[in-house]
Amino acid sequence: MNETAFDEPLFASLKPGLTSFCYRMLGSMDDADDAVQETSIRVWQSWSTFRQDSSYKTWVYRIASNLCLDKLRQSKRRALPVDLFDPAVAIVEPRDMLPDSAWIWPSPDFGGNPEDRLVRRDTLQLCFIALMQTLPPRQRAVLILKDVFEWSSKQIAETLAMSPAAVNSALQRARETMDRAQLRSDELSSMAVQPEQQLLSRYVEAFEQFDIAALVALFHEEGCMSMPPFEMWIRGKEDLSAFYSLTRWHCEGSRFVPITVNGGYPALAQYMPDKEGSGLVPWGIHVIETKENQILHVQNFIHTPLFSRFGLPERIDQ
């Protein structure tokens, strides 16, 4: 290996997997991209010091892991609204919100790397990302590398500067914590089950026509809707109907663009009428989870930077 020239194509081949690792660690694609970019800079700066005492891949992941661990020491746990708050008692327009850094956000695909497609898609479910955030950072890294990427304990030990015995101990503790964790988002999640296309079509039609009765009829009796960055979330058909009636002025006239999130799961990008001109502008990303062919949970991620992240246009015609 040429020790004086940074091998950009070699790093690029690892980038999709690195990004998916950092996203699982950090719960945000913005943070994941920053970590991967910083990793590439450090790999470039340290290229001449790489002595091949471990594989190139292990060395790069060691740098990325350390960056993620440093970020997590300085930040609070990201979460989903249903895991932090109880459902709304009074149906009002949502006002209280937490900063973007408080929330888990959906991700687009990480790239066309065939190896990355083999990485377990169930570990990209939003509820799984939320569960991961409950783990101490080093246990989180061990669990991802072992149970998601299926690395050996020896390779993980080299990556995280731990002994194989310490890796196995951390893995056991992480699995026990994950098994004990009782997050509401896990109870509400059915991202492993693709929503029926007919149900999605009916949701789109009812929402775009803003037919509240038809929209609410699609929900399970325990159906709910959350809207990060707002703390407030709604549960039950009666409260959903009241909320839609209250916010009709805001959402009426919206249109959807189909997309996929978190490993190919169907979702909808909502564009709402521009109050200051013609056309429609980005509003939220709807991730719809179902039970018994009814809507169990709509997660409407109201974060317009996600639209450029997913390669969506800044405006569409009305």
Side-chain angles (χ1 to χ4, degrees):
M1 182 182 294
N2 183 352
E3 292 186 346
T4 62
F6 171 53
D7 192 331
E8 192 169 343
L10 185 57
F11 183 84
S13 71
L14 296 181
K15 191 172 180 180
L18 273 176
T19 306
S20 65
F21 169 76
C22 292
Y23 173 68
R24 288 176 174 90
M25 284 289 291
L26 302 172
S28 158
M29 277 301 295
D30 285 343
D31 284 0
D33 277 350
D34 288 347
V36 172
Q37 178 63 23
E38 181 64 26
T39 298
S40 71
I41 293 169
R42 293 196 183 184
V43 168
W44 176 73
Q45 291 174 336
S46 307
W47 183 253
S48 62
T49 67
F50 175 48
R51 300 301 180 190
Q52 302 184 53
D53 54 341
S54 62
S55 73
Y56 173 76
K57 183 175 182 178
T58 299
W59 179 63
V60 170
Y61 270 82
R62 182 185 306 153
I63 294 171
S65 298
N66 286 334
L67 280 165
C68 288
L69 293 173
D70 287 344
K71 280 179 176 285
L72 290 169
R73 289 188 192 100
Q74 302 166 21
S75 62
K76 295 182 179 179
R77 173 171 75 95
R78 288 180 179 267
L80 297 166
V82 295
D83 293 327
L84 295 182
F85 306 99
D86 289 330
V89 176
I91 303 305
V92 296
E93 289 184 25
R95 290 186 178 85
D96 295 334
M97 61 178 73
L98 295 179
D100 295 343
S101 60
W103 304 112
I104 289 165
W105 300 105
S107 76
D109 292 335
F110 300 111
N113 190 330
E115 179 183 347
D116 193 54
R117 294 196 193 104
L118 300 177
V119 174
R120 290 171 45 196
R121 196 175 76 170
D122 62 316
T123 65
L124 280 173
Q125 292 181 42
L126 290 164
C127 69
F128 183 86
I129 302 297
L131 277 171
M132 294 294 299
Q133 308 309 301
T134 66
L135 296 175
R138 193 167 291 274
Q139 287 183 29
R140 194 182 310 175
V142 169
L143 187 79
I144 294 169
L145 292 173
K146 185 68 173 180
D147 286 0
V148 179
F149 287 79
E150 299 181 348
W151 285 21
S152 69
S153 295
K154 179 177 181 294
Q155 191 176 7
I156 297 169
E158 291 175 354
T159 301
L160 300 178
M162 302 167 68
S163 69
V167 166
N168 292 332
S169 176
L171 180 64
Q172 181 179 351
R173 293 197 304 275
R175 286 171 175 169
E176 288 172 353
T177 300
M178 293 278 279
D179 288 342
R180 285 196 311 270
Q182 294 183 326
L183 296 184
R184 192 182 269 125
S185 59
D186 194 28
E187 297 173 14
L188 293 174
S189 177
S190 54
M191 283 183 69
V193 180
Q194 295 273 342
E196 293 286 340
Q197 184 57 50
Q198 186 181 19
L199 179 63
L200 283 179
S201 298
R202 288 163 63 200
Y203 180 81
V204 169
E205 181 180 3
F207 199 103
E208 290 186 348
Q209 294 180 1
F210 221 75
D211 183 337
I212 294 174
L215 190 56
V216 172
L218 300 176
F219 280 82
H220 191 274
E221 285 298 329
E222 292 297 310
C224 56
M225 176 179 60
S226 56
M227 304 156 286
F230 294 104
E231 299 174 4
M232 177 183 181
W233 62 281
I234 318 295
R235 171 173 252 171
K237 289 189 174 187
E238 185 176 339
D239 284 354
L240 285 164
S241 181
F243 183 80
Y244 283 130
S245 298
L246 187 67
T247 56
R248 173 187 286 276
W249 67 271
H250 184 272
C251 288
E252 198 165 25
S254 292
R255 294 289 179 269
F256 283 122
V257 173
I259 61 171
T260 59
V261 302
N262 290 59
Y265 190 84
L268 300 162
Q270 178 192 352
Y271 286 78
M272 58 172 284
D274 185 353
K275 306 304 181 187
E276 299 178 359
S278 62
L280 301 165
V281 293
W283 177 244
I285 303 291
H286 293 224
V287 180
I288 300 171
E289 298 171 299
T290 61
K291 178 181 180 180
E292 298 165 355
N293 203 24
Q294 293 177 300
I295 295 173
L296 182 63
H297 187 194
V298 175
Q299 299 188 74
N300 182 8
F301 293 92
I302 302 171
H303 187 51
T304 53
L306 286 172
F307 282 69
S308 58
R309 166 77 59 195
F310 281 86
L312 291 162
E314 295 180 2
R315 174 183 294 270
I316 62 175
D317 295 331
Q318 201 150 4

